[in-house]
Amino acid sequence: MTTTLIEKEEIEQYKFVPAEVDRTQEFASKLSDALRLGNEFKSKTAMTFMTEDGPKRVETTVWSLTEKYIVLKASVLIPMRSLIDISY
């Protein structure tokens, strides 16, 4: 699968769609680690998510997590059900 790297400022231009497989539970531990990395160490996390235009990838700091969303700087939200991959 080919992904396009985008800037976090571009995220809101895309419409999210659910990934083929909902991996929210599987990613729970990685998301917690990404949150800690962002808040304590200002480290970035790479996230790939599904949009209507295909998979997109962003490298950014995770600021917060809710039950259904990943919160980035400037209150940018990524739905967890759209996540394809997380790495740091």
Side-chain angles (χ1 to χ4, degrees):
M1 175 179 352
T2 304
T3 62
T4 304
L5 181 64
I6 62 171
E7 297 295 323
K8 72 176 179 314
E9 293 81 11
E10 298 174 49
I11 292 174
E12 293 181 321
Q13 298 175 14
Y14 296 96
K15 182 173 180 185
F16 296 99
V17 296
E20 287 183 24
V21 177
D22 184 352
R23 298 174 67 188
T24 302
Q25 295 299 327
E26 181 182 337
F27 287 145
S29 177
K30 278 189 159 186
L31 288 169
S32 294
D33 292 345
L35 176 63
R36 183 168 183 233
L37 286 170
N39 287 329
E40 294 181 26
F41 303 103
K42 308 302 180 217
S43 181
K44 294 187 178 190
T45 299
M47 292 175 278
T48 305
F49 51 90
M50 186 57 77
T51 71
E52 283 187 335
D53 299 320
K56 304 296 178 202
R57 181 178 175 93
V58 66
E59 295 177 3
T60 189
T61 306
V62 175
W63 280 41
S64 182
L65 298 171
T66 70
E67 189 175 314
K68 296 182 179 183
Y69 293 93
I70 300 165
V71 183
L72 309 178
K73 188 174 182 178
S75 299
V76 173
L77 302 174
I78 297 176
M80 289 187 196
R81 66 184 185 170
S82 296
L83 284 178
I84 298 170
D85 188 43
I86 299 172
S87 60
Y88 34 80

mmCIF file of all heavy atoms in Angstrom, residues 17-62:
data_model
loop_
_atom_site.group_PDB
_atom_site.id
_atom_site.type_symbol
_atom_site.label_atom_id
_atom_site.label_comp_id
_atom_site.label_asym_id
_atom_site.label_seq_id
_atom_site.Cartn_x
_atom_site.Cartn_y
_atom_site.Cartn_z
ATOM 1 N N VAL A 17 -12.028 7.977 6.722
ATOM 2 C CA VAL A 17 -12.906 6.819 6.574
ATOM 3 C C VAL A 17 -12.306 5.707 7.442
ATOM 4 O O VAL A 17 -11.102 5.700 7.708
ATOM 5 C CB VAL A 17 -13.055 6.349 5.107
ATOM 6 C CG1 VAL A 17 -13.731 7.416 4.271
ATOM 7 C CG2 VAL A 17 -11.725 5.972 4.505
ATOM 8 N N PRO A 18 -13.126 4.777 7.905
ATOM 9 C CA PRO A 18 -12.589 3.695 8.732
ATOM 10 C C PRO A 18 -11.604 2.830 7.945
ATOM 11 O O PRO A 18 -11.770 2.599 6.754
ATOM 12 C CB PRO A 18 -13.824 2.873 9.112
ATOM 13 C CG PRO A 18 -14.976 3.802 8.917
ATOM 14 C CD PRO A 18 -14.582 4.724 7.800
ATOM 15 N N ALA A 19 -10.567 2.362 8.634
ATOM 16 C CA ALA A 19 -9.616 1.429 8.033
ATOM 17 C C ALA A 19 -10.331 0.107 7.782
ATOM 18 O O ALA A 19 -11.387 -0.157 8.361
ATOM 19 C CB ALA A 19 -8.428 1.234 8.966
ATOM 20 N N GLU A 20 -9.773 -0.717 6.915
ATOM 21 C CA GLU A 20 -10.387 -2.012 6.614
ATOM 22 C C GLU A 20 -10.576 -2.840 7.877
ATOM 23 O O GLU A 20 -11.555 -3.562 8.005
ATOM 24 C CB GLU A 20 -9.531 -2.783 5.610
ATOM 25 C CG GLU A 20 -9.596 -2.224 4.218
ATOM 26 C CD GLU A 20 -8.795 -3.059 3.228
ATOM 27 O OE1 GLU A 20 -8.569 -4.262 3.481
ATOM 28 O OE2 GLU A 20 -8.395 -2.496 2.200
ATOM 29 N N VAL A 21 -9.613 -2.746 8.797
ATOM 30 C CA VAL A 21 -9.681 -3.467 10.067
ATOM 31 C C VAL A 21 -9.556 -2.446 11.192
ATOM 32 O O VAL A 21 -8.619 -1.649 11.212
ATOM 33 C CB VAL A 21 -8.531 -4.508 10.177
ATOM 34 C CG1 VAL A 21 -8.565 -5.202 11.523
ATOM 35 C CG2 VAL A 21 -8.598 -5.502 9.041
ATOM 36 N N ASP A 22 -10.508 -2.460 12.130
ATOM 37 C CA ASP A 22 -10.450 -1.562 13.286
ATOM 38 C C ASP A 22 -9.426 -2.128 14.263
ATOM 39 O O ASP A 22 -9.650 -3.154 14.884
ATOM 40 C CB ASP A 22 -11.827 -1.451 13.939
ATOM 41 C CG ASP A 22 -11.840 -0.444 15.082
ATOM 42 O OD1 ASP A 22 -10.756 0.054 15.468
ATOM 43 O OD2 ASP A 22 -12.933 -0.157 15.595
ATOM 44 N N ARG A 23 -8.296 -1.432 14.383
ATOM 45 C CA ARG A 23 -7.203 -1.903 15.238
ATOM 46 C C ARG A 23 -7.064 -1.043 16.487
ATOM 47 O O ARG A 23 -6.012 -1.007 17.110
ATOM 48 C CB ARG A 23 -5.912 -1.915 14.426
ATOM 49 C CG ARG A 23 -6.000 -2.865 13.230
ATOM 50 C CD ARG A 23 -4.809 -2.800 12.338
ATOM 51 N NE ARG A 23 -3.634 -3.320 13.032
ATOM 52 C CZ ARG A 23 -2.400 -3.250 12.536
ATOM 53 N NH1 ARG A 23 -2.197 -2.706 11.361
ATOM 54 N NH2 ARG A 23 -1.396 -3.728 13.210
ATOM 55 N N THR A 24 -8.155 -0.372 16.878
ATOM 56 C CA THR A 24 -8.125 0.528 18.024
ATOM 57 C C THR A 24 -7.595 -0.161 19.274
ATOM 58 O O THR A 24 -6.699 0.362 19.953
ATOM 59 C CB THR A 24 -9.531 1.103 18.292
ATOM 60 O OG1 THR A 24 -9.978 1.786 17.107
ATOM 61 C CG2 THR A 24 -9.524 2.074 19.436
ATOM 62 N N GLN A 25 -8.115 -1.331 19.598
ATOM 63 C CA GLN A 25 -7.668 -2.050 20.793
ATOM 64 C C GLN A 25 -6.211 -2.484 20.669
ATOM 65 O O GLN A 25 -5.443 -2.411 21.630
ATOM 66 C CB GLN A 25 -8.566 -3.270 21.044
ATOM 67 C CG GLN A 25 -9.993 -2.910 21.366
ATOM 68 C CD GLN A 25 -10.111 -2.073 22.631
ATOM 69 O OE1 GLN A 25 -9.340 -2.231 23.562
ATOM 70 N NE2 GLN A 25 -11.062 -1.171 22.650
ATOM 71 N N GLU A 26 -5.843 -2.913 19.497
ATOM 72 C CA GLU A 26 -4.467 -3.360 19.256
ATOM 73 C C GLU A 26 -3.475 -2.210 19.424
ATOM 74 O O GLU A 26 -2.351 -2.409 19.896
ATOM 75 C CB GLU A 26 -4.376 -3.928 17.840
ATOM 76 C CG GLU A 26 -3.030 -4.452 17.453
ATOM 77 C CD GLU A 26 -3.008 -4.957 16.020
ATOM 78 O OE1 GLU A 26 -4.082 -5.295 15.475
ATOM 79 O OE2 GLU A 26 -1.909 -4.998 15.443
ATOM 80 N N PHE A 27 -3.875 -1.001 19.038
ATOM 81 C CA PHE A 27 -2.994 0.157 19.105
ATOM 82 C C PHE A 27 -3.032 0.867 20.456
ATOM 83 O O PHE A 27 -2.300 1.835 20.659
ATOM 84 C CB PHE A 27 -3.354 1.170 18.013
ATOM 85 C CG PHE A 27 -2.958 0.744 16.621
ATOM 86 C CD1 PHE A 27 -3.758 1.081 15.544
ATOM 87 C CD2 PHE A 27 -1.799 0.040 16.383
ATOM 88 C CE1 PHE A 27 -3.402 0.716 14.257
ATOM 89 C CE2 PHE A 27 -1.431 -0.332 15.098
ATOM 90 C CZ PHE A 27 -2.239 0.005 14.030
ATOM 91 N N ALA A 28 -3.852 0.445 21.394
ATOM 92 C CA ALA A 28 -4.029 1.143 22.677
ATOM 93 C C ALA A 28 -2.696 1.372 23.385
ATOM 94 O O ALA A 28 -2.406 2.484 23.843
ATOM 95 C CB ALA A 28 -5.006 0.388 23.567
ATOM 96 N N SER A 29 -1.870 0.350 23.486
ATOM 97 C CA SER A 29 -0.585 0.474 24.172
ATOM 98 C C SER A 29 0.360 1.407 23.416
ATOM 99 O O SER A 29 1.024 2.257 24.017
ATOM 100 C CB SER A 29 0.050 -0.907 24.318
ATOM 101 O OG SER A 29 1.315 -0.807 24.924
ATOM 102 N N LYS A 30 0.399 1.265 22.090
ATOM 103 C CA LYS A 30 1.265 2.137 21.277
ATOM 104 C C LYS A 30 0.828 3.598 21.395
ATOM 105 O O LYS A 30 1.660 4.497 21.436
ATOM 106 C CB LYS A 30 1.243 1.707 19.812
ATOM 107 C CG LYS A 30 2.167 0.577 19.495
ATOM 108 C CD LYS A 30 2.228 0.382 17.984
ATOM 109 C CE LYS A 30 3.491 -0.357 17.625
ATOM 110 N NZ LYS A 30 3.670 -0.455 16.184
ATOM 111 N N LEU A 31 -0.488 3.830 21.433
ATOM 112 C CA LEU A 31 -0.984 5.199 21.560
ATOM 113 C C LEU A 31 -0.616 5.788 22.914
ATOM 114 O O LEU A 31 -0.247 6.961 23.008
ATOM 115 C CB LEU A 31 -2.493 5.244 21.344
ATOM 116 C CG LEU A 31 -2.942 5.030 19.901
ATOM 117 C CD1 LEU A 31 -4.449 4.821 19.834
ATOM 118 C CD2 LEU A 31 -2.519 6.203 19.040
ATOM 119 N N SER A 32 -0.695 4.997 23.965
ATOM 120 C CA SER A 32 -0.283 5.466 25.296
ATOM 121 C C SER A 32 1.196 5.826 25.307
ATOM 122 O O SER A 32 1.595 6.850 25.868
ATOM 123 C CB SER A 32 -0.568 4.409 26.355
ATOM 124 O OG SER A 32 -1.945 4.210 26.494
ATOM 125 N N ASP A 33 2.003 4.986 24.672
ATOM 126 C CA ASP A 33 3.436 5.278 24.572
ATOM 127 C C ASP A 33 3.680 6.537 23.750
ATOM 128 O O ASP A 33 4.527 7.358 24.099
ATOM 129 C CB ASP A 33 4.184 4.105 23.943
ATOM 130 C CG ASP A 33 4.214 2.875 24.834
ATOM 131 O OD1 ASP A 33 3.919 2.989 26.047
ATOM 132 O OD2 ASP A 33 4.522 1.779 24.311
ATOM 133 N N ALA A 34 2.952 6.690 22.655
ATOM 134 C CA ALA A 34 3.101 7.871 21.799
ATOM 135 C C ALA A 34 2.727 9.141 22.564
ATOM 136 O O ALA A 34 3.386 10.170 22.424
ATOM 137 C CB ALA A 34 2.237 7.729 20.552
ATOM 138 N N LEU A 35 1.699 9.053 23.387
ATOM 139 C CA LEU A 35 1.286 10.199 24.207
ATOM 140 C C LEU A 35 2.399 10.580 25.174
ATOM 141 O O LEU A 35 2.745 11.756 25.311
ATOM 142 C CB LEU A 35 0.005 9.853 24.960
ATOM 143 C CG LEU A 35 -0.516 10.897 25.930
ATOM 144 C CD1 LEU A 35 -0.885 12.173 25.188
ATOM 145 C CD2 LEU A 35 -1.711 10.348 26.688
ATOM 146 N N ARG A 36 2.962 9.593 25.843
ATOM 147 C CA ARG A 36 4.050 9.861 26.787
ATOM 148 C C ARG A 36 5.263 10.441 26.061
ATOM 149 O O ARG A 36 5.887 11.396 26.533
ATOM 150 C CB ARG A 36 4.441 8.583 27.524
ATOM 151 C CG ARG A 36 5.508 8.820 28.550
ATOM 152 C CD ARG A 36 5.698 7.641 29.473
ATOM 153 N NE ARG A 36 6.693 8.009 30.462
ATOM 154 C CZ ARG A 36 7.765 7.299 30.725
ATOM 155 N NH1 ARG A 36 7.978 6.156 30.108
ATOM 156 N NH2 ARG A 36 8.629 7.695 31.623
ATOM 157 N N LEU A 37 5.612 9.854 24.913
ATOM 158 C CA LEU A 37 6.738 10.374 24.136
ATOM 159 C C LEU A 37 6.522 11.839 23.752
ATOM 160 O O LEU A 37 7.439 12.643 23.790
ATOM 161 C CB LEU A 37 6.952 9.535 22.880
ATOM 162 C CG LEU A 37 7.580 8.170 23.081
ATOM 163 C CD1 LEU A 37 7.499 7.365 21.780
ATOM 164 C CD2 LEU A 37 9.022 8.298 23.530
ATOM 165 N N GLY A 38 5.290 12.166 23.375
ATOM 166 C CA GLY A 38 4.989 13.536 22.970
ATOM 167 C C GLY A 38 5.009 14.514 24.125
ATOM 168 O O GLY A 38 5.580 15.607 24.021
ATOM 169 N N ASN A 39 4.394 14.130 25.235
ATOM 170 C CA ASN A 39 4.281 15.050 26.371
ATOM 171 C C ASN A 39 5.568 15.188 27.170
ATOM 172 O O ASN A 39 5.921 16.282 27.594
ATOM 173 C CB ASN A 39 3.148 14.607 27.294
ATOM 174 C CG ASN A 39 1.790 14.886 26.686
ATOM 175 O OD1 ASN A 39 1.616 15.836 25.947
ATOM 176 N ND2 ASN A 39 0.836 14.031 26.979
ATOM 177 N N GLU A 40 6.280 14.098 27.373
ATOM 178 C CA GLU A 40 7.470 14.147 28.213
ATOM 179 C C GLU A 40 8.761 14.413 27.443
ATOM 180 O O GLU A 40 9.674 15.042 27.954
ATOM 181 C CB GLU A 40 7.611 12.844 29.000
ATOM 182 C CG GLU A 40 6.484 12.668 30.013
ATOM 183 C CD GLU A 40 6.632 11.398 30.819
ATOM 184 O OE1 GLU A 40 7.778 10.917 30.983
ATOM 185 O OE2 GLU A 40 5.598 10.880 31.282
ATOM 186 N N PHE A 41 8.833 13.915 26.218
ATOM 187 C CA PHE A 41 10.086 14.002 25.472
ATOM 188 C C PHE A 41 9.983 14.811 24.180
ATOM 189 O O PHE A 41 10.964 14.924 23.444
ATOM 190 C CB PHE A 41 10.592 12.587 25.151
ATOM 191 C CG PHE A 41 10.780 11.752 26.377
ATOM 192 C CD1 PHE A 41 9.853 10.774 26.718
ATOM 193 C CD2 PHE A 41 11.857 11.951 27.213
ATOM 194 C CE1 PHE A 41 10.011 9.995 27.850
ATOM 195 C CE2 PHE A 41 12.035 11.184 28.354
ATOM 196 C CZ PHE A 41 11.113 10.202 28.677
ATOM 197 N N LYS A 42 8.786 15.315 23.869
ATOM 198 C CA LYS A 42 8.553 16.094 22.641
ATOM 199 C C LYS A 42 8.960 15.313 21.400
ATOM 200 O O LYS A 42 9.397 15.860 20.401
ATOM 201 C CB LYS A 42 9.263 17.449 22.677
ATOM 202 C CG LYS A 42 8.984 18.267 23.914
ATOM 203 C CD LYS A 42 7.515 18.547 24.098
ATOM 204 C CE LYS A 42 7.281 19.376 25.350
ATOM 205 N NZ LYS A 42 6.091 19.027 26.054
ATOM 206 N N SER A 43 8.794 14.000 21.487
ATOM 207 C CA SER A 43 9.160 13.112 20.387
ATOM 208 C C SER A 43 7.967 12.919 19.447
ATOM 209 O O SER A 43 6.818 12.906 19.889
ATOM 210 C CB SER A 43 9.608 11.768 20.960
ATOM 211 O OG SER A 43 9.989 10.898 19.943
ATOM 212 N N LYS A 44 8.249 12.737 18.188
ATOM 213 C CA LYS A 44 7.192 12.581 17.189
ATOM 214 C C LYS A 44 6.843 11.119 16.962
ATOM 215 O O LYS A 44 7.679 10.232 17.133
ATOM 216 C CB LYS A 44 7.604 13.232 15.876
ATOM 217 C CG LYS A 44 7.734 14.733 16.003
ATOM 218 C CD LYS A 44 7.974 15.381 14.685
ATOM 219 C CE LYS A 44 8.043 16.896 14.903
ATOM 220 N NZ LYS A 44 8.042 17.601 13.657
ATOM 221 N N THR A 45 5.605 10.911 16.549
ATOM 222 C CA THR A 45 5.085 9.599 16.212
ATOM 223 C C THR A 45 4.630 9.634 14.762
ATOM 224 O O THR A 45 4.041 10.615 14.328
ATOM 225 C CB THR A 45 3.891 9.244 17.123
ATOM 226 O OG1 THR A 45 4.344 9.218 18.476
ATOM 227 C CG2 THR A 45 3.287 7.906 16.759
ATOM 228 N N ALA A 46 4.896 8.574 14.029
ATOM 229 C CA ALA A 46 4.416 8.459 12.648
ATOM 230 C C ALA A 46 3.122 7.663 12.672
ATOM 231 O O ALA A 46 3.065 6.579 13.252
ATOM 232 C CB ALA A 46 5.454 7.767 11.789
ATOM 233 N N MET A 47 2.075 8.225 12.094
ATOM 234 C CA MET A 47 0.772 7.569 12.038
ATOM 235 C C MET A 47 0.287 7.518 10.603
ATOM 236 O O MET A 47 0.353 8.518 9.893
ATOM 237 C CB MET A 47 -0.239 8.330 12.888
ATOM 238 C CG MET A 47 0.049 8.258 14.365
ATOM 239 S SD MET A 47 -1.076 9.263 15.312
ATOM 240 C CE MET A 47 -0.294 10.858 15.125
ATOM 241 N N THR A 48 -0.196 6.365 10.203
ATOM 242 C CA THR A 48 -0.808 6.200 8.894
ATOM 243 C C THR A 48 -2.291 5.982 9.122
ATOM 244 O O THR A 48 -2.679 5.185 9.977
ATOM 245 C CB THR A 48 -0.207 5.004 8.142
ATOM 246 O OG1 THR A 48 1.213 5.177 8.068
ATOM 247 C CG2 THR A 48 -0.774 4.889 6.732
ATOM 248 N N PHE A 49 -3.106 6.713 8.384
ATOM 249 C CA PHE A 49 -4.553 6.636 8.560
ATOM 250 C C PHE A 49 -5.237 6.659 7.203
ATOM 251 O O PHE A 49 -4.662 7.093 6.204
ATOM 252 C CB PHE A 49 -5.067 7.773 9.449
ATOM 253 C CG PHE A 49 -4.600 9.140 9.016
ATOM 254 C CD1 PHE A 49 -5.339 9.886 8.113
ATOM 255 C CD2 PHE A 49 -3.418 9.667 9.503
ATOM 256 C CE1 PHE A 49 -4.909 11.137 7.709
ATOM 257 C CE2 PHE A 49 -2.976 10.922 9.107
ATOM 258 C CZ PHE A 49 -3.724 11.656 8.200
ATOM 259 N N MET A 50 -6.472 6.179 7.163
ATOM 260 C CA MET A 50 -7.220 6.073 5.909
ATOM 261 C C MET A 50 -8.108 7.299 5.711
ATOM 262 O O MET A 50 -8.796 7.737 6.628
ATOM 263 C CB MET A 50 -8.070 4.800 5.910
ATOM 264 C CG MET A 50 -8.765 4.543 4.602
ATOM 265 S SD MET A 50 -7.644 4.439 3.190
ATOM 266 C CE MET A 50 -6.967 2.821 3.405
ATOM 267 N N THR A 51 -8.063 7.820 4.478
ATOM 268 C CA THR A 51 -8.942 8.922 4.082
ATOM 269 C C THR A 51 -9.670 8.519 2.804
ATOM 270 O O THR A 51 -9.350 7.492 2.204
ATOM 271 C CB THR A 51 -8.138 10.216 3.805
ATOM 272 O OG1 THR A 51 -7.389 10.050 2.598
ATOM 273 C CG2 THR A 51 -7.217 10.566 4.962
ATOM 274 N N GLU A 52 -10.611 9.349 2.392
ATOM 275 C CA GLU A 52 -11.299 9.094 1.125
ATOM 276 C C GLU A 52 -10.328 9.081 -0.048
ATOM 277 O O GLU A 52 -10.584 8.464 -1.067
ATOM 278 C CB GLU A 52 -12.381 10.154 0.875
ATOM 279 C CG GLU A 52 -13.622 9.951 1.682
ATOM 280 C CD GLU A 52 -14.722 10.925 1.283
ATOM 281 O OE1 GLU A 52 -14.421 12.020 0.752
ATOM 282 O OE2 GLU A 52 -15.891 10.591 1.521
ATOM 283 N N ASP A 53 -9.208 9.803 0.102
ATOM 284 C CA ASP A 53 -8.201 9.902 -0.954
ATOM 285 C C ASP A 53 -7.112 8.846 -0.816
ATOM 286 O O ASP A 53 -6.074 8.944 -1.467
ATOM 287 C CB ASP A 53 -7.561 11.290 -0.944
ATOM 288 C CG ASP A 53 -8.580 12.386 -1.189
ATOM 289 O OD1 ASP A 53 -9.462 12.193 -2.038
ATOM 290 O OD2 ASP A 53 -8.493 13.440 -0.518
ATOM 291 N N GLY A 54 -7.319 7.862 0.057
ATOM 292 C CA GLY A 54 -6.330 6.817 0.276
ATOM 293 C C GLY A 54 -5.552 7.050 1.552
ATOM 294 O O GLY A 54 -5.787 8.006 2.280
ATOM 295 N N PRO A 55 -4.596 6.176 1.841
ATOM 296 C CA PRO A 55 -3.846 6.283 3.089
ATOM 297 C C PRO A 55 -2.909 7.492 3.093
ATOM 298 O O PRO A 55 -2.260 7.793 2.091
ATOM 299 C CB PRO A 55 -3.069 4.978 3.162
ATOM 300 C CG PRO A 55 -3.116 4.384 1.815
ATOM 301 C CD PRO A 55 -4.250 4.989 1.072
ATOM 302 N N LYS A 56 -2.864 8.156 4.231
ATOM 303 C CA LYS A 56 -1.980 9.301 4.442
ATOM 304 C C LYS A 56 -1.139 9.025 5.681
ATOM 305 O O LYS A 56 -1.557 8.321 6.590
ATOM 306 C CB LYS A 56 -2.783 10.594 4.659
ATOM 307 C CG LYS A 56 -3.745 10.919 3.547
ATOM 308 C CD LYS A 56 -3.047 11.190 2.252
ATOM 309 C CE LYS A 56 -4.051 11.462 1.146
ATOM 310 N NZ LYS A 56 -3.519 11.236 -0.158
ATOM 311 N N ARG A 57 0.050 9.614 5.712
ATOM 312 C CA ARG A 57 0.968 9.434 6.834
ATOM 313 C C ARG A 57 1.392 10.806 7.335
ATOM 314 O O ARG A 57 1.657 11.716 6.532
ATOM 315 C CB ARG A 57 2.176 8.626 6.372
ATOM 316 C CG ARG A 57 3.200 8.344 7.433
ATOM 317 C CD ARG A 57 4.327 7.487 6.833
ATOM 318 N NE ARG A 57 5.388 7.272 7.765
ATOM 319 C CZ ARG A 57 5.469 6.222 8.580
ATOM 320 N NH1 ARG A 57 4.522 5.298 8.547
ATOM 321 N NH2 ARG A 57 6.476 6.086 9.416
ATOM 322 N N VAL A 58 1.463 10.937 8.640
ATOM 323 C CA VAL A 58 1.894 12.187 9.252
ATOM 324 C C VAL A 58 2.873 11.850 10.368
ATOM 325 O O VAL A 58 2.745 10.807 11.024
ATOM 326 C CB VAL A 58 0.687 13.009 9.775
ATOM 327 C CG1 VAL A 58 -0.005 12.313 10.926
ATOM 328 C CG2 VAL A 58 1.093 14.411 10.159
ATOM 329 N N GLU A 59 3.868 12.700 10.556
ATOM 330 C CA GLU A 59 4.823 12.552 11.650
ATOM 331 C C GLU A 59 4.665 13.769 12.539
ATOM 332 O O GLU A 59 4.993 14.888 12.143
ATOM 333 C CB GLU A 59 6.244 12.434 11.101
ATOM 334 C CG GLU A 59 6.427 11.171 10.294
ATOM 335 C CD GLU A 59 7.798 11.041 9.653
ATOM 336 O OE1 GLU A 59 8.658 11.918 9.876
ATOM 337 O OE2 GLU A 59 7.994 10.062 8.922
ATOM 338 N N THR A 60 4.129 13.543 13.746
ATOM 339 C CA THR A 60 3.791 14.643 14.629
ATOM 340 C C THR A 60 3.785 14.191 16.079
ATOM 341 O O THR A 60 3.953 13.016 16.374
ATOM 342 C CB THR A 60 2.423 15.248 14.226
ATOM 343 O OG1 THR A 60 2.206 16.446 14.954
ATOM 344 C CG2 THR A 60 1.299 14.259 14.461
ATOM 345 N N THR A 61 3.570 15.131 16.973
ATOM 346 C CA THR A 61 3.507 14.862 18.402
ATOM 347 C C THR A 61 2.066 14.600 18.810
ATOM 348 O O THR A 61 1.169 15.352 18.433
ATOM 349 C CB THR A 61 4.048 16.078 19.184
ATOM 350 O OG1 THR A 61 5.349 16.384 18.698
ATOM 351 C CG2 THR A 61 4.112 15.797 20.660
ATOM 352 N N VAL A 62 1.839 13.538 19.566
ATOM 353 C CA VAL A 62 0.507 13.247 20.105
ATOM 354 C C VAL A 62 0.348 14.051 21.399
ATOM 355 O O VAL A 62 1.145 13.912 22.322
ATOM 356 C CB VAL A 62 0.333 11.734 20.388
ATOM 357 C CG1 VAL A 62 -0.998 11.471 21.063
ATOM 358 C CG2 VAL A 62 0.463 10.941 19.099
#
